[in-house]
Amino acid sequence: MNKAFYITTPIYYVNDKPHIGHAYTTIACDVLARFKRLDGYDVKFLTGTDEHGQKVAKAAADKGITPLQLCDQNSQNFRDLAATLGISNDDFIRTTEERHKKACQALWKTLEANGAIYLDKYAGWYAVRDEAFYDEGELTKGPNGERLAPSGAPVEWVEEESYFFNLSKWREKLLALYDSTPGFIGPKSRFNEVYSFVKGREGDAQPLRDISVSRTTFSWGVPVPGNDKHIMYVWIDALTNYITALGYPEQTPDFAKFWPNAMHMVGKDIIRFHCVYWPAFLMAANIQVPQRVFAHGWWTVEGQKMSKSLGNAIDPNALVEKYGLDQLRYFMMREIPFGNDGDFAESAIAGRINGELANEFGNLAQRFLSFIGKNLGGVLPEPGEFATEDKEILAACKKLLPDCCAAMDAQAFNEALEAIWAVVRAANGYVDKQAPWTLRKTDPARMNTVLYVLAEVTRHIAMLMQPFVPTSAAKVLDQLAVPADARDFAALATPIKGGITLPTPTGVFPRYGDPKAAKGA
Ligand code: ME8
C-alpha cells in the first residue's frame, strides 16, 4: 500500500476577495501535494471556504444580499482562483454544505457526551474581524484610546448565554503533546510561541481558560444540536472541515487512511486555533490529532500591511496575467524562507524571473538542446566513458532527491529550490568549461558525452522542478522526450536513453519585460 499524505489549506472567509496571502498558502500546499504524489504517496489535498459567522453575515448585510448569496458569489472566486493557480486539490469544501453541518453536529454531540461542553454565561470582548474572543489583558489601546485586539481589530463587549468548551482541562495533555511531538508545530519559533501560551506565566491562576463555543445574537451558522437558540462558534465549525472532508462522522476508508497523516498549513495569524483549540477538541472527542501544523509568515506589499482600507491587496489573477503562473509560483516559494515574513515587491519578482528562470535554468536547457538540434539532427548522443567532472555533476544530481525530500518534509521550500539551483549553476559552469561547441571540432566523442551528461542533469532539474513550475517543467521534459509515465521520482533512478530523437527545442522561460517574449507559461 502506498504511503498516505493529507494536506489542507485554511478555509478562507468569503467576506473578502482572494488576495496574494490566500494564493501563497494554497500554492505552498499545492507544491507539497505535487511533490508527495511524485514521490509515490497517495495524496488528498483539501481547500475550501469558511462561510459562517458574524463577519460573513455583516458583509452580506452591508451589501444588501443574503449571507448565502454572498457565500455563493465569493466561494466561486476562491474556486476560480484555485483553477487559475493550477491547484491540484482533490476536494473543495464549503462549510454551508450539508455534509459539513452533519459533521459539526456529530462532533458537538460527542464533545457534549464526553462532558467537554457546558452551558454558562459569557461576558467579554469579541473582535468580529478576527472572529475571536479576547481577555482584557490582551487588548491594546488605539489612537483615540479605544480598545483594540492584538491584531488591531476593533472589539465589542459581548454578554450572552453561551456554551463553553473546557479548554482549561486540556492544558497538561496539550503540553504533553508538544513535549512528545515537537514536530507537531513548525517552524520552531511558532512552536515556542504556542508552548508558552499554553504553559502560561508563572503564578497565573488559570493559564488556559475555557472558551465560549456558541453564540445567540445572530443565526448564520450551524445550530447547536438540541438547542437551536445557539449557533456554533465559527471556529469550532471551521476547524471541523478537515474531518468533514474525510467523511466524518462515518468511519470511512479515507478517514482511516488519511487522518493519521494529516498536515494543516496555515498563516501565523491562526496558529492558536490550530495548535491549541483544534487538538484539544479532537482529544476531547477521542479523535487522533493531526501530525503537523505549519504556520508560514506574513506578506506585506511594498513594505505595507495589506488592508481593505489601504486598498493595496494584490489580486493574484492580475499577477498571473502579468508575470505568468509558473513565474509567480516560483517567486513565492523562492523569495522568502517559508515561515518568515516577506515583502512583495514587483522589482523582486522580475529579478527572479530574469535572473534565475530565464538566464540560469532556461538558458541551460536552451543552449545544449538547440546545439543538438542544429548539429546532431536532434539526436541525443550516447555517452562514452564518464570523466571526473561528469561523475561529479551526476553525483550532485543523485543527491538532489534525498536533499529535496528532507527540505520538503520540513516545509523548507526555498531550501529545496536552493539545492536544485546549486545544480543549475554547476551545470552552467560545466557547459562553459566543457565547451561542447569547441569539442565538436576537436573531440566529437567527448562532445557526445558532455551533451548526454547535460541532458541527464537537466532531466533531474526539470523532474524536481515539476511541483513548483508544473507547466514549464513539463515543457522541458517534453523537449528531452521523457515519456509521461517516467516523470515520477522513482524514474530518476533510470538514466535518460542516448540515441533518442528530441523534438525541436523552444524557449521555456521568457524574460520579463522583453517585448518579443511570449507571456509567461
Ligand atoms: O482565517 N500573508 O480565513 P482568512 C500571508 N477562515 N498569508 C496570508 C495573508 C498575508 N498577508 N493574508 C491571509 C481564516 N493569508 C479562517 C480560517 S481554517 C479552519 C479557518 C492566508 O480568509 C494565511 O494562510 O482570513 C491565513 O492563515 C489565511 O490566509 C487566513 O484566511
PDB file of all heavy atoms in Angstrom, residues 10-13 19 21-22 24-25 50 235 238-239 241-242 266-267 269-270 274 296-299 306, ligand 1:
ATOM      1  N   PRO A  10      -6.020  26.570   4.999  1.00  0.00           N
ATOM      2  CA  PRO A  10      -7.133  27.094   5.804  1.00  0.00           C
ATOM      3  C   PRO A  10      -8.329  27.230   4.857  1.00  0.00           C
ATOM      4  O   PRO A  10      -8.150  27.341   3.644  1.00  0.00           O
ATOM      5  CB  PRO A  10      -6.663  28.486   6.239  1.00  0.00           C
ATOM      6  CG  PRO A  10      -5.212  28.556   5.941  1.00  0.00           C
ATOM      7  CD  PRO A  10      -4.928  27.554   4.855  1.00  0.00           C
ATOM      8  N   ILE A  11      -9.530  27.191   5.384  1.00  0.00           N
ATOM      9  CA  ILE A  11     -10.669  27.531   4.521  1.00  0.00           C
ATOM     10  C   ILE A  11     -10.852  29.039   4.669  1.00  0.00           C
ATOM     11  O   ILE A  11     -10.831  29.584   5.770  1.00  0.00           O
ATOM     12  CB  ILE A  11     -11.925  26.718   4.880  1.00  0.00           C
ATOM     13  CG1 ILE A  11     -12.189  26.691   6.398  1.00  0.00           C
ATOM     14  CG2 ILE A  11     -11.793  25.303   4.345  1.00  0.00           C
ATOM     15  CD1 ILE A  11     -13.558  26.135   6.758  1.00  0.00           C
ATOM     16  N   TYR A  12     -10.973  29.704   3.544  1.00  0.00           N
ATOM     17  CA  TYR A  12     -10.901  31.170   3.529  1.00  0.00           C
ATOM     18  C   TYR A  12     -12.273  31.792   3.747  1.00  0.00           C
ATOM     19  O   TYR A  12     -13.281  31.282   3.252  1.00  0.00           O
ATOM     20  CB  TYR A  12     -10.286  31.633   2.200  1.00  0.00           C
ATOM     21  CG  TYR A  12      -8.920  31.014   1.962  1.00  0.00           C
ATOM     22  CD1 TYR A  12      -8.705  30.100   0.939  1.00  0.00           C
ATOM     23  CD2 TYR A  12      -7.838  31.315   2.808  1.00  0.00           C
ATOM     24  CE1 TYR A  12      -7.462  29.510   0.742  1.00  0.00           C
ATOM     25  CE2 TYR A  12      -6.591  30.727   2.619  1.00  0.00           C
ATOM     26  CZ  TYR A  12      -6.413  29.831   1.594  1.00  0.00           C
ATOM     27  OH  TYR A  12      -5.183  29.247   1.409  1.00  0.00           O
ATOM     28  N   TYR A  13     -12.273  32.902   4.473  1.00  0.00           N
ATOM     29  CA  TYR A  13     -13.529  33.634   4.701  1.00  0.00           C
ATOM     30  C   TYR A  13     -14.025  34.213   3.388  1.00  0.00           C
ATOM     31  O   TYR A  13     -13.228  34.777   2.620  1.00  0.00           O
ATOM     32  CB  TYR A  13     -13.300  34.800   5.667  1.00  0.00           C
ATOM     33  CG  TYR A  13     -13.135  34.398   7.113  1.00  0.00           C
ATOM     34  CD1 TYR A  13     -12.049  34.858   7.847  1.00  0.00           C
ATOM     35  CD2 TYR A  13     -14.068  33.590   7.742  1.00  0.00           C
ATOM     36  CE1 TYR A  13     -11.897  34.513   9.188  1.00  0.00           C
ATOM     37  CE2 TYR A  13     -13.923  33.250   9.075  1.00  0.00           C
ATOM     38  CZ  TYR A  13     -12.845  33.713   9.791  1.00  0.00           C
ATOM     39  OH  TYR A  13     -12.702  33.376  11.100  1.00  0.00           O
ATOM     40  N   HIS A  19      -6.687  37.335  -2.177  1.00  0.00           N
ATOM     41  CA  HIS A  19      -5.509  38.157  -2.476  1.00  0.00           C
ATOM     42  C   HIS A  19      -4.255  37.285  -2.400  1.00  0.00           C
ATOM     43  O   HIS A  19      -4.354  36.071  -2.198  1.00  0.00           O
ATOM     44  CB  HIS A  19      -5.432  39.382  -1.558  1.00  0.00           C
ATOM     45  CG  HIS A  19      -5.403  39.067  -0.091  1.00  0.00           C
ATOM     46  ND1 HIS A  19      -4.373  38.366   0.496  1.00  0.00           N
ATOM     47  CD2 HIS A  19      -6.271  39.339   0.900  1.00  0.00           C
ATOM     48  CE1 HIS A  19      -4.613  38.238   1.788  1.00  0.00           C
ATOM     49  NE2 HIS A  19      -5.785  38.818   2.063  1.00  0.00           N
ATOM     50  N   GLY A  21      -2.101  36.717  -0.199  1.00  0.00           N
ATOM     51  CA  GLY A  21      -1.910  35.935   1.016  1.00  0.00           C
ATOM     52  C   GLY A  21      -2.573  34.563   0.884  1.00  0.00           C
ATOM     53  O   GLY A  21      -1.989  33.536   1.204  1.00  0.00           O
ATOM     54  N   HIS A  22      -3.802  34.564   0.362  1.00  0.00           N
ATOM     55  CA  HIS A  22      -4.506  33.294   0.156  1.00  0.00           C
ATOM     56  C   HIS A  22      -3.796  32.467  -0.906  1.00  0.00           C
ATOM     57  O   HIS A  22      -3.634  31.255  -0.765  1.00  0.00           O
ATOM     58  CB  HIS A  22      -5.963  33.529  -0.275  1.00  0.00           C
ATOM     59  CG  HIS A  22      -6.723  34.457   0.626  1.00  0.00           C
ATOM     60  ND1 HIS A  22      -7.225  35.662   0.206  1.00  0.00           N
ATOM     61  CD2 HIS A  22      -7.034  34.356   1.941  1.00  0.00           C
ATOM     62  CE1 HIS A  22      -7.840  36.265   1.213  1.00  0.00           C
ATOM     63  NE2 HIS A  22      -7.725  35.499   2.285  1.00  0.00           N
ATOM     64  N   TYR A  24      -0.763  32.435  -1.626  1.00  0.00           N
ATOM     65  CA  TYR A  24       0.519  31.924  -1.096  1.00  0.00           C
ATOM     66  C   TYR A  24       0.323  30.580  -0.388  1.00  0.00           C
ATOM     67  O   TYR A  24       1.002  29.600  -0.686  1.00  0.00           O
ATOM     68  CB  TYR A  24       1.053  32.961  -0.120  1.00  0.00           C
ATOM     69  CG  TYR A  24       2.415  32.654   0.473  1.00  0.00           C
ATOM     70  CD1 TYR A  24       3.492  32.345  -0.344  1.00  0.00           C
ATOM     71  CD2 TYR A  24       2.627  32.738   1.848  1.00  0.00           C
ATOM     72  CE1 TYR A  24       4.753  32.112   0.202  1.00  0.00           C
ATOM     73  CE2 TYR A  24       3.880  32.508   2.400  1.00  0.00           C
ATOM     74  CZ  TYR A  24       4.937  32.204   1.579  1.00  0.00           C
ATOM     75  OH  TYR A  24       6.169  31.975   2.109  1.00  0.00           O
ATOM     76  N   THR A  25      -0.618  30.540   0.554  1.00  0.00           N
ATOM     77  CA  THR A  25      -0.844  29.298   1.300  1.00  0.00           C
ATOM     78  C   THR A  25      -1.261  28.180   0.351  1.00  0.00           C
ATOM     79  O   THR A  25      -0.788  27.046   0.461  1.00  0.00           O
ATOM     80  CB  THR A  25      -1.958  29.490   2.350  1.00  0.00           C
ATOM     81  OG1 THR A  25      -1.822  30.777   2.930  1.00  0.00           O
ATOM     82  CG2 THR A  25      -1.885  28.433   3.417  1.00  0.00           C
ATOM     83  N   ASP A  50     -14.773  29.198   4.227  1.00  0.00           N
ATOM     84  CA  ASP A  50     -15.346  29.307   5.570  1.00  0.00           C
ATOM     85  C   ASP A  50     -16.491  30.309   5.456  1.00  0.00           C
ATOM     86  O   ASP A  50     -16.248  31.501   5.212  1.00  0.00           O
ATOM     87  CB  ASP A  50     -14.226  29.840   6.481  1.00  0.00           C
ATOM     88  CG  ASP A  50     -14.572  29.779   7.950  1.00  0.00           C
ATOM     89  OD1 ASP A  50     -15.721  29.455   8.281  1.00  0.00           O
ATOM     90  OD2 ASP A  50     -13.667  30.070   8.767  1.00  0.00           O
ATOM     91  N   TRP A 235     -15.347  29.095  14.741  1.00  0.00           N
ATOM     92  CA  TRP A 235     -14.081  28.347  14.673  1.00  0.00           C
ATOM     93  C   TRP A 235     -14.244  26.855  14.931  1.00  0.00           C
ATOM     94  O   TRP A 235     -13.530  26.045  14.358  1.00  0.00           O
ATOM     95  CB  TRP A 235     -13.035  28.952  15.619  1.00  0.00           C
ATOM     96  CG  TRP A 235     -12.241  29.998  14.897  1.00  0.00           C
ATOM     97  CD1 TRP A 235     -12.392  31.348  14.964  1.00  0.00           C
ATOM     98  CD2 TRP A 235     -11.185  29.766  13.944  1.00  0.00           C
ATOM     99  NE1 TRP A 235     -11.511  31.977  14.130  1.00  0.00           N
ATOM    100  CE2 TRP A 235     -10.758  31.035  13.493  1.00  0.00           C
ATOM    101  CE3 TRP A 235     -10.576  28.637  13.426  1.00  0.00           C
ATOM    102  CZ2 TRP A 235      -9.727  31.188  12.558  1.00  0.00           C
ATOM    103  CZ3 TRP A 235      -9.556  28.783  12.493  1.00  0.00           C
ATOM    104  CH2 TRP A 235      -9.146  30.043  12.073  1.00  0.00           C
ATOM    105  N   ALA A 238     -15.494  25.822  11.661  1.00  0.00           N
ATOM    106  CA  ALA A 238     -14.483  25.879  10.593  1.00  0.00           C
ATOM    107  C   ALA A 238     -13.451  24.750  10.718  1.00  0.00           C
ATOM    108  O   ALA A 238     -13.132  24.075   9.735  1.00  0.00           O
ATOM    109  CB  ALA A 238     -13.784  27.230  10.629  1.00  0.00           C
ATOM    110  N   LEU A 239     -12.935  24.534  11.915  1.00  0.00           N
ATOM    111  CA  LEU A 239     -11.881  23.525  12.077  1.00  0.00           C
ATOM    112  C   LEU A 239     -12.371  22.125  11.711  1.00  0.00           C
ATOM    113  O   LEU A 239     -11.621  21.297  11.200  1.00  0.00           O
ATOM    114  CB  LEU A 239     -11.345  23.557  13.514  1.00  0.00           C
ATOM    115  CG  LEU A 239     -10.509  24.801  13.846  1.00  0.00           C
ATOM    116  CD1 LEU A 239     -10.431  25.021  15.356  1.00  0.00           C
ATOM    117  CD2 LEU A 239      -9.101  24.673  13.265  1.00  0.00           C
ATOM    118  N   ASN A 241     -14.007  21.252   9.332  1.00  0.00           N
ATOM    119  CA  ASN A 241     -13.974  20.969   7.886  1.00  0.00           C
ATOM    120  C   ASN A 241     -12.939  19.908   7.530  1.00  0.00           C
ATOM    121  O   ASN A 241     -13.119  19.142   6.586  1.00  0.00           O
ATOM    122  CB  ASN A 241     -13.711  22.262   7.098  1.00  0.00           C
ATOM    123  CG  ASN A 241     -12.225  22.498   6.812  1.00  0.00           C
ATOM    124  OD1 ASN A 241     -11.689  22.023   5.820  1.00  0.00           O
ATOM    125  ND2 ASN A 241     -11.551  23.223   7.707  1.00  0.00           N
ATOM    126  N   TYR A 242     -11.831  19.889   8.293  1.00  0.00           N
ATOM    127  CA  TYR A 242     -10.736  18.977   7.940  1.00  0.00           C
ATOM    128  C   TYR A 242     -11.151  17.511   8.071  1.00  0.00           C
ATOM    129  O   TYR A 242     -10.596  16.657   7.383  1.00  0.00           O
ATOM    130  CB  TYR A 242      -9.523  19.235   8.838  1.00  0.00           C
ATOM    131  CG  TYR A 242      -8.975  20.646   8.747  1.00  0.00           C
ATOM    132  CD1 TYR A 242      -8.690  21.392   9.904  1.00  0.00           C
ATOM    133  CD2 TYR A 242      -8.718  21.244   7.521  1.00  0.00           C
ATOM    134  CE1 TYR A 242      -8.172  22.679   9.829  1.00  0.00           C
ATOM    135  CE2 TYR A 242      -8.209  22.528   7.435  1.00  0.00           C
ATOM    136  CZ  TYR A 242      -7.936  23.248   8.600  1.00  0.00           C
ATOM    137  OH  TYR A 242      -7.422  24.512   8.520  1.00  0.00           O
ATOM    138  N   VAL A 266      -1.098  26.706   7.566  1.00  0.00           N
ATOM    139  CA  VAL A 266      -1.863  27.906   7.941  1.00  0.00           C
ATOM    140  C   VAL A 266      -0.932  29.118   7.956  1.00  0.00           C
ATOM    141  O   VAL A 266       0.290  28.967   7.923  1.00  0.00           O
ATOM    142  CB  VAL A 266      -2.493  27.765   9.357  1.00  0.00           C
ATOM    143  CG1 VAL A 266      -3.501  26.618   9.394  1.00  0.00           C
ATOM    144  CG2 VAL A 266      -1.442  27.569  10.423  1.00  0.00           C
ATOM    145  N   GLY A 267      -1.515  30.306   8.032  1.00  0.00           N
ATOM    146  CA  GLY A 267      -0.725  31.505   8.269  1.00  0.00           C
ATOM    147  C   GLY A 267      -0.532  31.676   9.773  1.00  0.00           C
ATOM    148  O   GLY A 267      -1.285  31.099  10.566  1.00  0.00           O
ATOM    149  N   ASP A 269      -1.310  33.896  11.685  1.00  0.00           N
ATOM    150  CA  ASP A 269      -2.416  34.552  12.376  1.00  0.00           C
ATOM    151  C   ASP A 269      -3.365  33.570  13.047  1.00  0.00           C
ATOM    152  O   ASP A 269      -4.075  33.932  13.982  1.00  0.00           O
ATOM    153  CB  ASP A 269      -3.225  35.406  11.376  1.00  0.00           C
ATOM    154  CG  ASP A 269      -3.653  34.615  10.131  1.00  0.00           C
ATOM    155  OD1 ASP A 269      -2.877  33.753   9.681  1.00  0.00           O
ATOM    156  OD2 ASP A 269      -4.761  34.856   9.619  1.00  0.00           O
ATOM    157  N   ILE A 270      -3.403  32.313  12.562  1.00  0.00           N
ATOM    158  CA  ILE A 270      -4.436  31.411  13.084  1.00  0.00           C
ATOM    159  C   ILE A 270      -3.831  30.194  13.759  1.00  0.00           C
ATOM    160  O   ILE A 270      -4.423  29.117  13.794  1.00  0.00           O
ATOM    161  CB  ILE A 270      -5.454  31.020  11.980  1.00  0.00           C
ATOM    162  CG1 ILE A 270      -4.757  30.484  10.720  1.00  0.00           C
ATOM    163  CG2 ILE A 270      -6.287  32.230  11.604  1.00  0.00           C
ATOM    164  CD1 ILE A 270      -5.745  30.029   9.637  1.00  0.00           C
ATOM    165  N   HIS A 274      -5.390  26.406  15.545  1.00  0.00           N
ATOM    166  CA  HIS A 274      -4.982  25.105  15.009  1.00  0.00           C
ATOM    167  C   HIS A 274      -4.098  24.298  15.960  1.00  0.00           C
ATOM    168  O   HIS A 274      -4.082  23.071  15.871  1.00  0.00           O
ATOM    169  CB  HIS A 274      -4.243  25.286  13.680  1.00  0.00           C
ATOM    170  CG  HIS A 274      -5.165  25.590  12.541  1.00  0.00           C
ATOM    171  ND1 HIS A 274      -5.662  26.844  12.304  1.00  0.00           N
ATOM    172  CD2 HIS A 274      -5.723  24.782  11.604  1.00  0.00           C
ATOM    173  CE1 HIS A 274      -6.469  26.808  11.252  1.00  0.00           C
ATOM    174  NE2 HIS A 274      -6.516  25.568  10.812  1.00  0.00           N
ATOM    175  N   HIS A 296       3.098  29.593   8.244  1.00  0.00           N
ATOM    176  CA  HIS A 296       4.030  30.427   7.478  1.00  0.00           C
ATOM    177  C   HIS A 296       3.868  31.888   7.865  1.00  0.00           C
ATOM    178  O   HIS A 296       2.975  32.261   8.623  1.00  0.00           O
ATOM    179  CB  HIS A 296       3.839  30.206   5.976  1.00  0.00           C
ATOM    180  CG  HIS A 296       2.491  30.641   5.474  1.00  0.00           C
ATOM    181  ND1 HIS A 296       2.086  31.952   5.460  1.00  0.00           N
ATOM    182  CD2 HIS A 296       1.446  29.927   4.986  1.00  0.00           C
ATOM    183  CE1 HIS A 296       0.868  32.031   4.966  1.00  0.00           C
ATOM    184  NE2 HIS A 296       0.449  30.808   4.694  1.00  0.00           N
ATOM    185  N   GLY A 297       4.748  32.714   7.291  1.00  0.00           N
ATOM    186  CA  GLY A 297       4.790  34.125   7.681  1.00  0.00           C
ATOM    187  C   GLY A 297       3.810  34.978   6.885  1.00  0.00           C
ATOM    188  O   GLY A 297       2.937  34.485   6.185  1.00  0.00           O
ATOM    189  N   TRP A 298       3.989  36.241   7.002  1.00  0.00           N
ATOM    190  CA  TRP A 298       3.044  37.234   6.516  1.00  0.00           C
ATOM    191  C   TRP A 298       3.648  38.046   5.394  1.00  0.00           C
ATOM    192  O   TRP A 298       4.768  38.518   5.505  1.00  0.00           O
ATOM    193  CB  TRP A 298       2.696  38.150   7.700  1.00  0.00           C
ATOM    194  CG  TRP A 298       1.298  38.625   7.644  1.00  0.00           C
ATOM    195  CD1 TRP A 298       0.895  39.910   7.574  1.00  0.00           C
ATOM    196  CD2 TRP A 298       0.117  37.817   7.653  1.00  0.00           C
ATOM    197  NE1 TRP A 298      -0.481  39.954   7.520  1.00  0.00           N
ATOM    198  CE2 TRP A 298      -0.975  38.683   7.558  1.00  0.00           C
ATOM    199  CE3 TRP A 298      -0.131  36.454   7.707  1.00  0.00           C
ATOM    200  CZ2 TRP A 298      -2.299  38.244   7.530  1.00  0.00           C
ATOM    201  CZ3 TRP A 298      -1.437  36.011   7.665  1.00  0.00           C
ATOM    202  CH2 TRP A 298      -2.498  36.904   7.586  1.00  0.00           C
ATOM    203  N   TRP A 299       2.907  38.215   4.312  1.00  0.00           N
ATOM    204  CA  TRP A 299       3.368  39.078   3.219  1.00  0.00           C
ATOM    205  C   TRP A 299       2.887  40.500   3.459  1.00  0.00           C
ATOM    206  O   TRP A 299       1.708  40.709   3.758  1.00  0.00           O
ATOM    207  CB  TRP A 299       2.765  38.627   1.884  1.00  0.00           C
ATOM    208  CG  TRP A 299       3.381  37.410   1.287  1.00  0.00           C
ATOM    209  CD1 TRP A 299       2.926  36.146   1.418  1.00  0.00           C
ATOM    210  CD2 TRP A 299       4.539  37.348   0.458  1.00  0.00           C
ATOM    211  NE1 TRP A 299       3.740  35.297   0.715  1.00  0.00           N
ATOM    212  CE2 TRP A 299       4.739  35.992   0.125  1.00  0.00           C
ATOM    213  CE3 TRP A 299       5.451  38.289  -0.029  1.00  0.00           C
ATOM    214  CZ2 TRP A 299       5.794  35.561  -0.680  1.00  0.00           C
ATOM    215  CZ3 TRP A 299       6.490  37.855  -0.827  1.00  0.00           C
ATOM    216  CH2 TRP A 299       6.663  36.525  -1.141  1.00  0.00           C
ATOM    217  N   MET A 306      -1.181  44.587   4.025  1.00  0.00           N
ATOM    218  CA  MET A 306      -2.292  44.631   3.078  1.00  0.00           C
ATOM    219  C   MET A 306      -3.573  44.906   3.847  1.00  0.00           C
ATOM    220  O   MET A 306      -3.800  44.266   4.871  1.00  0.00           O
ATOM    221  CB  MET A 306      -2.468  43.260   2.432  1.00  0.00           C
ATOM    222  CG  MET A 306      -1.860  43.140   1.084  1.00  0.00           C
ATOM    223  SD  MET A 306      -2.264  41.543   0.364  1.00  0.00           S
ATOM    224  CE  MET A 306      -1.332  40.430   1.353  1.00  0.00           C
TER     225      MET A 306
HETATM  226  O1  ME8 B   1      -8.577  32.924   8.944  1.00  0.00           O
HETATM  227  N1  ME8 B   1       0.318  36.845   4.115  1.00  0.00           N
HETATM  228  O2  ME8 B   1      -9.621  32.845   6.903  1.00  0.00           O
HETATM  229  P1  ME8 B   1      -8.931  34.072   6.117  1.00  0.00           P
HETATM  230  C1  ME8 B   1       0.325  35.503   4.117  1.00  0.00           C
HETATM  231  N2  ME8 B   1     -11.462  31.318   7.843  1.00  0.00           N
HETATM  232  N3  ME8 B   1      -0.778  34.745   4.221  1.00  0.00           N
HETATM  233  C2  ME8 B   1      -1.958  35.363   4.327  1.00  0.00           C
HETATM  234  C3  ME8 B   1      -2.048  36.783   4.340  1.00  0.00           C
HETATM  235  C4  ME8 B   1      -0.841  37.523   4.217  1.00  0.00           C
HETATM  236  N4  ME8 B   1      -0.812  38.856   4.204  1.00  0.00           N
HETATM  237  N5  ME8 B   1      -3.347  37.095   4.473  1.00  0.00           N
HETATM  238  C5  ME8 B   1      -4.046  35.923   4.532  1.00  0.00           C
HETATM  239  C6  ME8 B   1      -9.417  32.496   8.195  1.00  0.00           C
HETATM  240  N6  ME8 B   1      -3.203  34.875   4.435  1.00  0.00           N
HETATM  241  C7  ME8 B   1     -10.311  31.366   8.640  1.00  0.00           C
HETATM  242  C8  ME8 B   1      -9.543  30.083   8.603  1.00  0.00           C
HETATM  243  S1  ME8 B   1      -9.290  27.416   8.920  1.00  0.00           S
HETATM  244  C9  ME8 B   1     -10.135  26.233   9.699  1.00  0.00           C
HETATM  245  C10 ME8 B   1     -10.279  28.861   9.063  1.00  0.00           C
HETATM  246  C11 ME8 B   1      -3.589  33.453   4.425  1.00  0.00           C
HETATM  247  O3  ME8 B   1      -9.707  34.235   4.860  1.00  0.00           O
HETATM  248  C12 ME8 B   1      -2.989  32.686   5.596  1.00  0.00           C
HETATM  249  O4  ME8 B   1      -2.970  31.319   5.292  1.00  0.00           O
HETATM  250  O5  ME8 B   1      -8.764  35.235   6.993  1.00  0.00           O
HETATM  251  C13 ME8 B   1      -4.006  32.940   6.673  1.00  0.00           C
HETATM  252  O6  ME8 B   1      -3.919  31.999   7.717  1.00  0.00           O
HETATM  253  C14 ME8 B   1      -5.292  32.790   5.883  1.00  0.00           C
HETATM  254  O7  ME8 B   1      -4.988  33.373   4.604  1.00  0.00           O
HETATM  255  C15 ME8 B   1      -6.443  33.493   6.562  1.00  0.00           C
HETATM  256  O8  ME8 B   1      -7.533  33.468   5.694  1.00  0.00           O
END
